[in-house]
Amino acid sequence: MTTQTPEKLQELVDELREIQVQMLESLDQAKALIKQSGQEMTLQRAESYWLAHARIALTNDHAYLGGSMCSMEDTIAEIEAATKEEDGED
């Protein structure tokens, strides 16, 4: 059980989704900047490691093999589910 109202929980979900979108956009911007450097191997390493790790940690919607034990998307979904439980929905 949570002490928050369904409305407050939904506000939290909306805010978290906004942050998630901003973070994903920042990753895309970082990738574009690395690409502009013309350093193909550097871009490949970034895409294979830290860009992939960050994206996997933020969302389950990615093209990488595997995933995070608990992504930001999972956390948002848990709070969203609590919103529906508090509202009496199944």
Side-chain angles (χ1 to χ4, degrees), residues 23-40 42-52 54-55 63-64:
M23 292 171 79
L24 289 167
E25 288 173 350
S26 292
L27 287 176
D28 291 339
Q29 182 181 9
K31 180 179 174 179
L33 291 170
I34 297 165
K35 194 172 188 175
Q36 286 178 22
S37 77
Q39 302 296 311
E40 187 60 34
T42 301
L43 176 60
Q44 287 177 4
R45 280 200 307 269
E47 287 178 320
S48 295
Y49 294 99
W50 67 270
L51 285 170
R55 188 168 298 279
Y64 299 103

Side-chain angles (χ1 to χ4, degrees), residues 3 5-6 8 10 12 15 21 24-25 28 33 37 41 48 51-52 57-58 61 65 74 76-77 85 87-88:
T3 59
T5 65
K8 181 63 177 171
Q10 188 57 53
L12 294 174
E15 237 181 295
V21 166
L24 289 167
E25 288 173 350
D28 291 339
L33 291 170
S37 77
M41 184 56 74
S48 295
L51 285 170
L58 292 172
D61 184 22
L65 207 55
D74 296 330
I76 293 169
E85 287 174 11
D87 243 353

Side-chain angles (χ1 to χ4, degrees), residues 53-82:
H53 291 288
R55 188 168 298 279
I56 287 170
L58 292 172
T59 181
N60 298 329
D61 184 22
H62 56 77
Y64 299 103
L65 207 55
S68 180
M69 290 292 290
C70 180
S71 67
M72 186 175 190
E73 185 66 35
D74 296 330
T75 300
I76 293 169
E78 287 177 28
I79 296 171
E80 199 164 40

